Short mmCIF file of all heavy atoms in Angstrom, two decimals:
data_model
loop_
_atom_site.label_atom_id
_atom_site.label_comp_id
_atom_site.label_asym_id
_atom_site.label_seq_id
_atom_site.Cartn_x
_atom_site.Cartn_y
_atom_site.Cartn_z
N MET A 649 -52.24 -57.41 -37.57
CA MET A 649 -52.05 -56.23 -38.42
C MET A 649 -53.28 -55.41 -38.39
O MET A 649 -54.30 -55.90 -38.58
CB MET A 649 -51.58 -56.70 -39.81
CG MET A 649 -51.49 -55.56 -40.73
SD MET A 649 -51.30 -55.97 -42.43
CE MET A 649 -49.61 -56.48 -42.46
N THR A 650 -53.13 -54.08 -38.28
CA THR A 650 -54.17 -53.21 -38.28
C THR A 650 -54.36 -52.60 -39.69
O THR A 650 -53.41 -52.23 -40.34
CB THR A 650 -54.03 -52.00 -37.33
OG1 THR A 650 -53.74 -52.53 -36.04
CG2 THR A 650 -55.17 -51.07 -37.30
N THR A 651 -55.60 -52.57 -40.17
CA THR A 651 -55.86 -51.95 -41.42
C THR A 651 -56.40 -50.54 -41.22
O THR A 651 -57.39 -50.36 -40.47
CB THR A 651 -56.91 -52.81 -42.25
OG1 THR A 651 -56.44 -54.06 -42.43
CG2 THR A 651 -57.18 -52.17 -43.59
N ILE A 652 -55.90 -49.54 -41.87
CA ILE A 652 -56.29 -48.20 -41.66
C ILE A 652 -57.20 -47.85 -42.84
O ILE A 652 -56.82 -48.06 -44.10
CB ILE A 652 -55.10 -47.18 -41.62
CG1 ILE A 652 -54.16 -47.59 -40.45
CG2 ILE A 652 -55.55 -45.74 -41.65
CD1 ILE A 652 -52.96 -46.77 -40.43
N GLN A 653 -58.31 -47.28 -42.63
CA GLN A 653 -59.30 -46.92 -43.61
C GLN A 653 -59.12 -45.38 -43.81
O GLN A 653 -59.11 -44.57 -42.87
CB GLN A 653 -60.70 -47.14 -43.09
CG GLN A 653 -61.18 -48.61 -43.08
CD GLN A 653 -61.18 -49.20 -44.34
OE1 GLN A 653 -61.55 -48.62 -45.29
NE2 GLN A 653 -60.89 -50.49 -44.41
N PHE A 654 -58.80 -44.98 -45.06
CA PHE A 654 -58.60 -43.60 -45.40
C PHE A 654 -59.85 -43.15 -46.15
O PHE A 654 -60.39 -43.83 -47.06
CB PHE A 654 -57.44 -43.37 -46.34
CG PHE A 654 -56.12 -43.61 -45.61
CD1 PHE A 654 -55.49 -44.77 -45.72
CD2 PHE A 654 -55.59 -42.57 -44.82
CE1 PHE A 654 -54.24 -45.04 -45.06
CE2 PHE A 654 -54.41 -42.74 -44.24
CZ PHE A 654 -53.70 -43.93 -44.32
N SER A 655 -60.45 -41.96 -45.78
CA SER A 655 -61.41 -41.30 -46.54
C SER A 655 -60.77 -40.77 -47.86
O SER A 655 -59.56 -40.56 -47.92
CB SER A 655 -62.15 -40.28 -45.82
OG SER A 655 -61.28 -39.06 -45.53
N ASP A 656 -61.57 -40.41 -48.79
CA ASP A 656 -61.19 -39.76 -50.04
C ASP A 656 -60.36 -38.49 -49.72
O ASP A 656 -59.40 -38.16 -50.41
CB ASP A 656 -62.22 -39.44 -51.02
CG ASP A 656 -62.69 -40.76 -51.68
OD1 ASP A 656 -62.05 -41.70 -51.66
OD2 ASP A 656 -63.79 -40.67 -52.32
N ARG A 657 -60.72 -37.78 -48.68
CA ARG A 657 -60.09 -36.49 -48.34
C ARG A 657 -58.54 -36.67 -47.87
O ARG A 657 -57.83 -35.86 -47.95
CB ARG A 657 -60.89 -35.79 -47.29
CG ARG A 657 -62.17 -35.31 -47.76
CD ARG A 657 -62.86 -34.50 -46.81
NE ARG A 657 -63.09 -35.21 -45.50
CZ ARG A 657 -63.62 -34.62 -44.44
NH1 ARG A 657 -63.87 -33.42 -44.39
NH2 ARG A 657 -63.78 -35.38 -43.33
N ARG A 658 -58.23 -37.88 -47.39
CA ARG A 658 -56.94 -38.11 -46.94
C ARG A 658 -56.01 -38.73 -47.95
O ARG A 658 -54.79 -38.84 -47.78
CB ARG A 658 -56.98 -39.00 -45.70
CG ARG A 658 -57.66 -38.22 -44.56
CD ARG A 658 -57.67 -39.01 -43.32
NE ARG A 658 -56.26 -39.12 -42.84
CZ ARG A 658 -55.89 -39.88 -41.85
NH1 ARG A 658 -56.88 -40.59 -41.29
NH2 ARG A 658 -54.65 -40.01 -41.51
N MET A 659 -56.59 -39.15 -49.07
CA MET A 659 -55.75 -39.82 -50.13
C MET A 659 -55.17 -38.70 -51.01
O MET A 659 -55.77 -37.68 -51.30
CB MET A 659 -56.64 -40.68 -50.95
CG MET A 659 -57.29 -41.86 -50.25
SD MET A 659 -56.01 -42.94 -49.47
CE MET A 659 -55.26 -43.72 -50.91
N PRO A 660 -53.85 -38.91 -51.44
CA PRO A 660 -53.26 -37.98 -52.36
C PRO A 660 -54.06 -37.82 -53.67
O PRO A 660 -54.65 -38.92 -54.14
CB PRO A 660 -51.91 -38.55 -52.57
CG PRO A 660 -51.74 -39.69 -51.61
CD PRO A 660 -53.08 -40.06 -51.18
N LEU A 661 -54.06 -36.72 -54.31
CA LEU A 661 -54.79 -36.53 -55.56
C LEU A 661 -53.88 -37.18 -56.63
O LEU A 661 -52.73 -37.07 -56.72
CB LEU A 661 -55.00 -35.04 -55.89
CG LEU A 661 -55.86 -34.34 -54.94
CD1 LEU A 661 -55.95 -32.87 -55.36
CD2 LEU A 661 -57.36 -34.90 -54.93
N ARG A 662 -54.61 -37.78 -57.59
CA ARG A 662 -54.01 -38.39 -58.75
C ARG A 662 -53.66 -37.24 -59.79
O ARG A 662 -54.23 -36.14 -59.65
CB ARG A 662 -54.79 -39.42 -59.49
CG ARG A 662 -55.02 -40.69 -58.56
CD ARG A 662 -55.84 -41.76 -59.19
NE ARG A 662 -57.00 -41.29 -59.97
CZ ARG A 662 -58.18 -41.43 -59.40
NH1 ARG A 662 -58.41 -41.88 -58.25
NH2 ARG A 662 -59.28 -40.92 -60.18
N GLU A 663 -52.83 -37.50 -60.75
CA GLU A 663 -52.45 -36.48 -61.69
C GLU A 663 -53.66 -35.83 -62.33
O GLU A 663 -53.78 -34.58 -62.47
CB GLU A 663 -51.47 -37.05 -62.76
CG GLU A 663 -50.99 -35.98 -63.80
CD GLU A 663 -49.93 -36.60 -64.72
OE1 GLU A 663 -49.40 -37.58 -64.40
OE2 GLU A 663 -49.73 -35.94 -65.69
N GLU A 664 -54.59 -36.57 -62.87
CA GLU A 664 -55.76 -36.06 -63.53
C GLU A 664 -56.67 -35.31 -62.57
O GLU A 664 -57.31 -34.33 -63.01
CB GLU A 664 -56.61 -37.14 -64.26
CG GLU A 664 -57.06 -38.31 -63.36
CD GLU A 664 -56.08 -39.40 -63.16
OE1 GLU A 664 -55.02 -39.41 -63.50
OE2 GLU A 664 -56.59 -40.47 -62.49
N GLU A 665 -56.64 -35.59 -61.33
CA GLU A 665 -57.47 -34.79 -60.40
C GLU A 665 -56.80 -33.50 -60.13
O GLU A 665 -57.46 -32.46 -59.99
CB GLU A 665 -57.56 -35.68 -58.99
CG GLU A 665 -58.45 -36.89 -59.25
CD GLU A 665 -58.40 -37.79 -57.98
OE1 GLU A 665 -57.23 -37.97 -57.35
OE2 GLU A 665 -59.47 -38.30 -57.63
N ILE A 666 -55.47 -33.50 -60.03
CA ILE A 666 -54.67 -32.25 -59.87
C ILE A 666 -54.96 -31.34 -61.09
O ILE A 666 -55.09 -30.10 -60.83
CB ILE A 666 -53.23 -32.48 -59.68
CG1 ILE A 666 -52.99 -33.16 -58.35
CG2 ILE A 666 -52.42 -31.24 -59.78
CD1 ILE A 666 -51.59 -33.72 -58.10
N GLU A 667 -55.07 -31.93 -62.23
CA GLU A 667 -55.24 -31.15 -63.45
C GLU A 667 -56.67 -30.36 -63.45
O GLU A 667 -56.74 -29.27 -63.87
CB GLU A 667 -55.09 -31.99 -64.71
CG GLU A 667 -53.66 -32.38 -64.98
CD GLU A 667 -53.56 -33.45 -66.02
OE1 GLU A 667 -54.55 -33.85 -66.58
OE2 GLU A 667 -52.39 -33.81 -66.27
N VAL A 668 -57.62 -31.15 -62.97
CA VAL A 668 -58.95 -30.59 -62.85
C VAL A 668 -58.90 -29.35 -61.86
O VAL A 668 -59.38 -28.28 -62.18
CB VAL A 668 -60.04 -31.59 -62.33
CG1 VAL A 668 -61.35 -30.89 -61.90
CG2 VAL A 668 -60.26 -32.61 -63.36
N CYS A 669 -58.31 -29.55 -60.72
CA CYS A 669 -58.16 -28.50 -59.66
C CYS A 669 -57.43 -27.29 -60.22
O CYS A 669 -57.80 -26.18 -59.96
CB CYS A 669 -57.59 -29.06 -58.41
SG CYS A 669 -58.57 -30.22 -57.53
N GLU A 670 -56.36 -27.58 -61.03
CA GLU A 670 -55.54 -26.51 -61.54
C GLU A 670 -56.31 -25.72 -62.58
O GLU A 670 -56.25 -24.47 -62.60
CB GLU A 670 -54.26 -27.09 -62.21
CG GLU A 670 -53.33 -25.95 -62.72
CD GLU A 670 -51.98 -26.54 -63.18
OE1 GLU A 670 -51.87 -27.80 -63.30
OE2 GLU A 670 -51.21 -25.70 -63.55
N ARG A 671 -57.10 -26.41 -63.42
CA ARG A 671 -57.92 -25.61 -64.43
C ARG A 671 -58.87 -24.75 -63.83
O ARG A 671 -59.09 -23.54 -64.15
CB ARG A 671 -58.61 -26.62 -65.26
CG ARG A 671 -57.71 -27.27 -66.39
CD ARG A 671 -58.50 -27.90 -67.51
NE ARG A 671 -59.31 -29.07 -67.02
CZ ARG A 671 -58.87 -30.27 -66.92
NH1 ARG A 671 -57.64 -30.66 -67.24
NH2 ARG A 671 -59.63 -31.26 -66.50
N VAL A 672 -59.49 -25.21 -62.75
CA VAL A 672 -60.45 -24.34 -61.95
C VAL A 672 -59.75 -23.22 -61.29
O VAL A 672 -60.23 -22.07 -61.34
CB VAL A 672 -61.22 -25.22 -60.88
CG1 VAL A 672 -62.12 -24.33 -59.99
CG2 VAL A 672 -62.14 -26.26 -61.58
N PHE A 673 -58.57 -23.45 -60.64
CA PHE A 673 -57.72 -22.34 -60.08
C PHE A 673 -57.51 -21.35 -61.10
O PHE A 673 -57.65 -20.05 -60.84
CB PHE A 673 -56.53 -22.96 -59.46
CG PHE A 673 -55.61 -21.96 -58.83
CD1 PHE A 673 -55.93 -21.47 -57.61
CD2 PHE A 673 -54.50 -21.51 -59.48
CE1 PHE A 673 -55.13 -20.57 -57.06
CE2 PHE A 673 -53.68 -20.57 -58.95
CZ PHE A 673 -53.91 -20.07 -57.74
N ARG A 674 -56.90 -21.72 -62.25
CA ARG A 674 -56.56 -20.72 -63.21
C ARG A 674 -57.81 -19.89 -63.70
O ARG A 674 -57.67 -18.73 -63.93
CB ARG A 674 -55.89 -21.45 -64.42
CG ARG A 674 -54.51 -21.91 -64.04
CD ARG A 674 -53.85 -22.65 -65.24
NE ARG A 674 -52.64 -23.35 -64.88
CZ ARG A 674 -51.38 -22.68 -64.83
NH1 ARG A 674 -51.35 -21.44 -65.10
NH2 ARG A 674 -50.36 -23.46 -64.47
N GLN A 675 -58.88 -20.68 -63.89
CA GLN A 675 -60.14 -20.03 -64.42
C GLN A 675 -60.51 -18.93 -63.42
O GLN A 675 -60.87 -17.77 -63.76
CB GLN A 675 -61.16 -21.01 -64.63
CG GLN A 675 -62.51 -20.43 -65.02
CD GLN A 675 -63.64 -21.54 -65.10
OE1 GLN A 675 -63.42 -22.70 -64.84
NE2 GLN A 675 -64.77 -21.13 -65.36
N LEU A 676 -60.51 -19.22 -62.10
CA LEU A 676 -60.99 -18.31 -61.10
C LEU A 676 -60.06 -17.13 -60.96
O LEU A 676 -60.45 -16.01 -60.63
CB LEU A 676 -61.21 -19.08 -59.76
CG LEU A 676 -62.39 -20.00 -59.74
CD1 LEU A 676 -62.41 -20.81 -58.38
CD2 LEU A 676 -63.68 -19.25 -59.88
N CYS A 677 -58.74 -17.44 -61.08
CA CYS A 677 -57.73 -16.34 -60.98
C CYS A 677 -57.85 -15.31 -62.10
O CYS A 677 -57.71 -14.09 -61.93
CB CYS A 677 -56.33 -16.91 -60.95
SG CYS A 677 -55.87 -17.64 -59.33
N ARG A 678 -58.30 -15.77 -63.30
CA ARG A 678 -58.53 -14.91 -64.41
C ARG A 678 -59.71 -14.04 -64.20
O ARG A 678 -59.82 -12.87 -64.64
CB ARG A 678 -58.69 -15.72 -65.79
CG ARG A 678 -57.37 -16.17 -66.30
CD ARG A 678 -57.55 -16.80 -67.79
NE ARG A 678 -58.60 -17.77 -67.84
CZ ARG A 678 -58.39 -19.09 -67.72
NH1 ARG A 678 -57.20 -19.58 -67.52
NH2 ARG A 678 -59.35 -19.93 -67.87
N ARG A 679 -60.75 -14.54 -63.60
CA ARG A 679 -62.05 -13.86 -63.35
C ARG A 679 -61.88 -12.80 -62.22
O ARG A 679 -62.69 -11.77 -62.19
CB ARG A 679 -63.13 -14.78 -62.91
CG ARG A 679 -63.58 -15.60 -64.05
CD ARG A 679 -64.70 -16.48 -63.49
NE ARG A 679 -65.13 -17.50 -64.34
CZ ARG A 679 -66.01 -18.43 -64.07
NH1 ARG A 679 -66.67 -18.35 -62.94
NH2 ARG A 679 -66.39 -19.32 -64.95
N GLN A 680 -60.99 -12.95 -61.35
CA GLN A 680 -60.91 -12.10 -60.12
C GLN A 680 -59.80 -11.02 -60.23
O GLN A 680 -58.84 -11.30 -60.97
CB GLN A 680 -60.84 -12.97 -58.91
CG GLN A 680 -61.97 -13.84 -58.63
CD GLN A 680 -61.64 -14.83 -57.51
OE1 GLN A 680 -60.78 -14.55 -56.55
NE2 GLN A 680 -62.50 -15.79 -57.28
N PRO A 681 -59.98 -9.97 -59.50
CA PRO A 681 -58.79 -9.01 -59.48
C PRO A 681 -57.53 -9.73 -58.91
O PRO A 681 -57.68 -10.76 -58.22
CB PRO A 681 -59.28 -7.92 -58.56
CG PRO A 681 -60.47 -8.49 -57.74
CD PRO A 681 -60.96 -9.57 -58.55
N PRO A 682 -56.39 -9.09 -59.14
CA PRO A 682 -55.19 -9.77 -58.65
C PRO A 682 -55.27 -10.02 -57.19
O PRO A 682 -55.85 -9.36 -56.40
CB PRO A 682 -54.14 -8.66 -58.89
CG PRO A 682 -54.67 -7.87 -59.96
CD PRO A 682 -56.21 -7.85 -59.82
N MET A 683 -54.79 -11.21 -56.78
CA MET A 683 -54.87 -11.77 -55.41
C MET A 683 -53.49 -11.82 -54.90
O MET A 683 -52.51 -12.06 -55.54
CB MET A 683 -55.52 -13.08 -55.34
CG MET A 683 -56.96 -13.11 -55.78
SD MET A 683 -57.68 -14.73 -55.64
CE MET A 683 -57.10 -15.55 -57.03
N SER A 684 -53.40 -11.77 -53.53
CA SER A 684 -52.11 -11.86 -52.87
C SER A 684 -51.80 -13.40 -52.82
O SER A 684 -52.62 -14.25 -53.06
CB SER A 684 -52.31 -11.30 -51.38
OG SER A 684 -53.13 -12.16 -50.61
N GLU A 685 -50.64 -13.70 -52.51
CA GLU A 685 -50.08 -15.08 -52.36
C GLU A 685 -51.04 -15.86 -51.36
O GLU A 685 -51.39 -16.96 -51.59
CB GLU A 685 -48.70 -15.10 -51.90
CG GLU A 685 -48.18 -16.51 -51.80
CD GLU A 685 -48.00 -17.16 -53.13
OE1 GLU A 685 -47.91 -16.46 -54.24
OE2 GLU A 685 -47.94 -18.41 -53.15
N THR A 686 -51.30 -15.20 -50.22
CA THR A 686 -52.16 -15.75 -49.23
C THR A 686 -53.52 -16.12 -49.78
O THR A 686 -54.07 -17.15 -49.49
CB THR A 686 -52.27 -14.85 -47.98
OG1 THR A 686 -50.97 -14.57 -47.46
CG2 THR A 686 -53.10 -15.43 -46.91
N GLU A 687 -54.12 -15.18 -50.58
CA GLU A 687 -55.44 -15.38 -51.09
C GLU A 687 -55.41 -16.48 -52.19
O GLU A 687 -56.36 -17.35 -52.21
CB GLU A 687 -55.96 -14.13 -51.80
CG GLU A 687 -56.37 -13.03 -50.84
CD GLU A 687 -56.52 -11.73 -51.46
OE1 GLU A 687 -55.89 -11.35 -52.39
OE2 GLU A 687 -57.42 -11.00 -50.92
N ARG A 688 -54.34 -16.60 -52.90
CA ARG A 688 -54.23 -17.73 -53.92
C ARG A 688 -54.12 -19.04 -53.22
O ARG A 688 -54.68 -19.98 -53.63
CB ARG A 688 -53.05 -17.44 -54.89
CG ARG A 688 -53.34 -16.32 -55.88
CD ARG A 688 -52.22 -16.29 -56.94
NE ARG A 688 -50.88 -16.10 -56.43
CZ ARG A 688 -50.34 -14.92 -56.18
NH1 ARG A 688 -51.03 -13.79 -56.42
NH2 ARG A 688 -49.09 -14.85 -55.75
N GLU A 689 -53.33 -19.06 -52.12
CA GLU A 689 -53.13 -20.32 -51.41
C GLU A 689 -54.48 -20.75 -50.77
O GLU A 689 -54.81 -21.89 -50.75
CB GLU A 689 -52.06 -20.18 -50.33
CG GLU A 689 -50.72 -20.09 -50.87
CD GLU A 689 -49.65 -19.79 -49.74
OE1 GLU A 689 -50.00 -19.65 -48.66
OE2 GLU A 689 -48.43 -19.70 -50.15
N ALA A 690 -55.32 -19.84 -50.25
CA ALA A 690 -56.53 -20.12 -49.73
C ALA A 690 -57.50 -20.63 -50.74
O ALA A 690 -58.24 -21.57 -50.52
CB ALA A 690 -57.24 -18.90 -48.99
N LEU A 691 -57.44 -20.04 -52.02
CA LEU A 691 -58.35 -20.46 -53.05
C LEU A 691 -57.99 -21.85 -53.47
O LEU A 691 -58.82 -22.76 -53.60
CB LEU A 691 -58.17 -19.56 -54.24
CG LEU A 691 -58.97 -19.92 -55.54
CD1 LEU A 691 -60.45 -20.04 -55.25
CD2 LEU A 691 -58.67 -18.94 -56.66
N ALA A 692 -56.66 -22.18 -53.60
CA ALA A 692 -56.17 -23.48 -53.97
C ALA A 692 -56.61 -24.51 -52.93
O ALA A 692 -57.09 -25.65 -53.20
CB ALA A 692 -54.72 -23.50 -54.16
N SER A 693 -56.42 -24.17 -51.68
CA SER A 693 -56.89 -25.09 -50.57
C SER A 693 -58.42 -25.36 -50.60
O SER A 693 -58.79 -26.55 -50.43
CB SER A 693 -56.50 -24.49 -49.26
OG SER A 693 -55.12 -24.46 -49.06
N SER A 694 -59.13 -24.35 -50.93
CA SER A 694 -60.61 -24.53 -50.94
C SER A 694 -60.97 -25.39 -52.15
O SER A 694 -61.91 -26.25 -52.07
CB SER A 694 -61.28 -23.19 -51.10
OG SER A 694 -61.12 -22.40 -49.93
N ILE A 695 -60.37 -25.17 -53.27
CA ILE A 695 -60.67 -25.99 -54.47
C ILE A 695 -60.44 -27.55 -54.14
O ILE A 695 -61.20 -28.37 -54.36
CB ILE A 695 -59.84 -25.57 -55.68
CG1 ILE A 695 -60.34 -24.22 -56.17
CG2 ILE A 695 -60.00 -26.62 -56.81
CD1 ILE A 695 -59.41 -23.55 -57.16
N ILE A 696 -59.25 -27.76 -53.54
CA ILE A 696 -58.84 -29.14 -53.22
C ILE A 696 -59.80 -29.70 -52.20
O ILE A 696 -60.24 -30.81 -52.24
CB ILE A 696 -57.40 -29.13 -52.70
CG1 ILE A 696 -56.40 -28.92 -53.88
CG2 ILE A 696 -57.03 -30.57 -52.05
CD1 ILE A 696 -55.02 -28.65 -53.57
N TYR A 697 -60.17 -28.95 -51.14
CA TYR A 697 -61.12 -29.40 -50.10
C TYR A 697 -62.38 -29.81 -50.78
O TYR A 697 -62.84 -30.88 -50.44
CB TYR A 697 -61.23 -28.29 -49.00
CG TYR A 697 -62.42 -28.64 -48.12
CD1 TYR A 697 -62.21 -29.53 -47.08
CD2 TYR A 697 -63.66 -28.08 -48.34
CE1 TYR A 697 -63.20 -29.85 -46.20
CE2 TYR A 697 -64.70 -28.37 -47.40
CZ TYR A 697 -64.48 -29.28 -46.45
OH TYR A 697 -65.56 -29.60 -45.56
N TYR A 698 -63.02 -28.90 -51.50
CA TYR A 698 -64.32 -29.28 -52.13
C TYR A 698 -64.19 -30.42 -53.07
O TYR A 698 -65.12 -31.23 -53.16
CB TYR A 698 -64.93 -28.02 -52.85
CG TYR A 698 -65.43 -27.05 -51.80
CD1 TYR A 698 -64.90 -25.84 -51.76
CD2 TYR A 698 -66.53 -27.39 -51.02
CE1 TYR A 698 -65.38 -24.91 -50.72
CE2 TYR A 698 -66.97 -26.56 -49.94
CZ TYR A 698 -66.49 -25.22 -49.95
OH TYR A 698 -66.96 -24.36 -49.05
N TYR A 699 -63.06 -30.47 -53.84
CA TYR A 699 -62.90 -31.66 -54.77
C TYR A 699 -62.82 -32.95 -53.93
O TYR A 699 -63.49 -33.85 -54.31
CB TYR A 699 -61.57 -31.53 -55.56
CG TYR A 699 -61.47 -32.56 -56.64
CD1 TYR A 699 -61.95 -32.27 -57.89
CD2 TYR A 699 -60.90 -33.79 -56.34
CE1 TYR A 699 -61.81 -33.28 -58.83
CE2 TYR A 699 -60.70 -34.76 -57.30
CZ TYR A 699 -61.21 -34.47 -58.54
OH TYR A 699 -61.19 -35.48 -59.52
N GLN A 700 -62.06 -32.96 -52.86
CA GLN A 700 -61.96 -34.19 -52.03
C GLN A 700 -63.31 -34.57 -51.30
O GLN A 700 -63.42 -35.70 -50.96
CB GLN A 700 -60.86 -34.00 -51.11
CG GLN A 700 -59.49 -34.08 -51.73
CD GLN A 700 -58.35 -33.85 -50.83
OE1 GLN A 700 -58.45 -33.04 -49.89
NE2 GLN A 700 -57.24 -34.63 -51.03
N THR A 701 -64.13 -33.54 -51.08
CA THR A 701 -65.39 -33.88 -50.41
C THR A 701 -66.47 -34.24 -51.38
O THR A 701 -67.65 -34.45 -51.04
CB THR A 701 -65.87 -32.63 -49.49
OG1 THR A 701 -66.00 -31.51 -50.28
CG2 THR A 701 -64.95 -32.51 -48.40
N GLY A 702 -66.15 -34.27 -52.73
CA GLY A 702 -67.15 -34.82 -53.68
C GLY A 702 -67.56 -33.85 -54.80
O GLY A 702 -68.25 -34.33 -55.69
N VAL A 703 -67.07 -32.61 -54.84
CA VAL A 703 -67.55 -31.78 -55.90
C VAL A 703 -66.45 -31.97 -56.96
O VAL A 703 -65.40 -31.35 -56.89
CB VAL A 703 -67.56 -30.23 -55.39
CG1 VAL A 703 -67.95 -29.29 -56.57
CG2 VAL A 703 -68.56 -30.13 -54.22
N ARG A 704 -66.75 -32.70 -57.89
CA ARG A 704 -65.71 -33.14 -58.92
C ARG A 704 -65.95 -32.47 -60.27
O ARG A 704 -65.03 -32.47 -61.12
CB ARG A 704 -65.80 -34.65 -59.17
CG ARG A 704 -65.51 -35.53 -57.89
CD ARG A 704 -64.14 -35.36 -57.52
NE ARG A 704 -63.89 -35.91 -56.11
CZ ARG A 704 -63.46 -37.12 -55.88
NH1 ARG A 704 -63.14 -37.84 -56.94
NH2 ARG A 704 -63.18 -37.51 -54.67
N ASN A 705 -67.02 -31.83 -60.51
CA ASN A 705 -67.28 -31.19 -61.80
C ASN A 705 -66.69 -29.73 -61.73
O ASN A 705 -66.77 -29.00 -60.77
CB ASN A 705 -68.83 -31.01 -61.97
CG ASN A 705 -69.19 -30.30 -63.21
OD1 ASN A 705 -69.26 -29.10 -63.25
ND2 ASN A 705 -69.49 -31.04 -64.22
N GLU A 706 -65.87 -29.49 -62.80
CA GLU A 706 -65.15 -28.16 -62.94
C GLU A 706 -66.09 -27.02 -62.78
O GLU A 706 -65.80 -26.11 -62.05
CB GLU A 706 -64.35 -28.11 -64.24
CG GLU A 706 -63.17 -29.03 -64.25
CD GLU A 706 -62.27 -28.92 -65.53
OE1 GLU A 706 -62.13 -27.85 -65.98
OE2 GLU A 706 -61.91 -30.03 -66.07
N GLY A 707 -67.22 -27.04 -63.48
CA GLY A 707 -68.17 -25.90 -63.47
C GLY A 707 -68.75 -25.72 -62.13
O GLY A 707 -68.92 -24.69 -61.65
N SER A 708 -69.06 -26.80 -61.45
CA SER A 708 -69.57 -26.80 -60.08
C SER A 708 -68.64 -26.15 -59.09
O SER A 708 -68.94 -25.36 -58.31
CB SER A 708 -70.07 -28.15 -59.60
OG SER A 708 -71.13 -28.63 -60.39
N LEU A 709 -67.30 -26.58 -59.21
CA LEU A 709 -66.36 -26.01 -58.41
C LEU A 709 -66.12 -24.55 -58.60
O LEU A 709 -66.04 -23.81 -57.63
CB LEU A 709 -64.93 -26.72 -58.63
CG LEU A 709 -64.71 -28.13 -57.99
CD1 LEU A 709 -63.45 -28.79 -58.61
CD2 LEU A 709 -64.59 -27.99 -56.50
N ALA A 710 -66.02 -24.16 -59.77
CA ALA A 710 -65.94 -22.68 -60.19
C ALA A 710 -67.08 -21.92 -59.72
O ALA A 710 -66.82 -20.82 -58.99
CB ALA A 710 -65.76 -22.54 -61.69
N ARG A 711 -68.26 -22.38 -59.77
CA ARG A 711 -69.49 -21.69 -59.34
C ARG A 711 -69.50 -21.60 -57.80
O ARG A 711 -69.79 -20.57 -57.15
CB ARG A 711 -70.81 -22.26 -59.80
CG ARG A 711 -71.06 -22.00 -61.21
CD ARG A 711 -72.51 -22.42 -61.61
NE ARG A 711 -72.65 -23.83 -61.51
CZ ARG A 711 -72.21 -24.83 -62.42
NH1 ARG A 711 -71.70 -24.36 -63.51
NH2 ARG A 711 -72.45 -26.07 -62.17
N LEU A 712 -69.12 -22.64 -57.15
CA LEU A 712 -69.08 -22.71 -55.72
C LEU A 712 -68.12 -21.76 -55.14
O LEU A 712 -68.35 -21.08 -54.11
CB LEU A 712 -68.73 -24.13 -55.28
CG LEU A 712 -68.60 -24.40 -53.81
CD1 LEU A 712 -69.99 -24.27 -53.20
CD2 LEU A 712 -68.07 -25.79 -53.49
N LEU A 713 -66.96 -21.47 -55.85
CA LEU A 713 -65.89 -20.62 -55.25
C LEU A 713 -65.81 -19.28 -55.90
O LEU A 713 -65.04 -18.46 -55.57
CB LEU A 713 -64.50 -21.33 -55.42
CG LEU A 713 -64.52 -22.61 -54.53
CD1 LEU A 713 -63.37 -23.52 -55.00
CD2 LEU A 713 -64.42 -22.19 -53.06
N ALA A 714 -66.74 -18.99 -56.86
CA ALA A 714 -66.64 -17.60 -57.59
C ALA A 714 -67.21 -16.54 -56.68
O ALA A 714 -67.89 -16.79 -55.79
CB ALA A 714 -67.50 -17.67 -58.81
#
């Protein structure tokens, strides 16, 4: 039997992690001018990417993507 090692980036986010990402997303959307659907999707993807690579603090995520 082969054991597959997954990095944190490949693991699904838990509910509390999704909530952190969602709060940052909403905060950044309020600060910026209206964005297109494509821009919102790109922002959400970036938040999740940085969260999964280790940026777990809400304030740090917001500053990184502002």
Side-chain angles (χ1 to χ4, degrees):
M649 176 189 283
T650 303
T651 303
I652 299 173
Q653 294 288 330
F654 289 101
S655 71
D656 285 345
R657 290 188 300 173
R658 294 185 65 193
M659 296 300 294
L661 294 176
R662 296 184 314 259
E663 185 176 344
E664 58 272 10
E665 294 172 316
I666 292 170
E667 290 170 358
V668 169
C669 292
E670 185 175 5
R671 283 192 299 270
V672 172
F673 178 80
R674 290 179 188 274
Q675 177 184 1
L676 291 173
C677 284
R678 283 192 305 267
R679 289 184 189 174
Q680 298 178 14
M683 294 184 280
S684 69
E685 182 69 22
T686 302
E687 291 169 322
R688 288 191 302 273
E689 288 175 2
L691 176 60
S693 293
S694 294
I695 292 168
I696 291 169
Y697 170 80
Y698 285 116
Y699 187 90
Q700 289 178 320
T701 58
V703 182
R704 303 290 170 96
N705 179 276
E706 289 181 42
S708 296
L709 280 168
R711 282 189 299 278
L712 182 64
L713 294 161

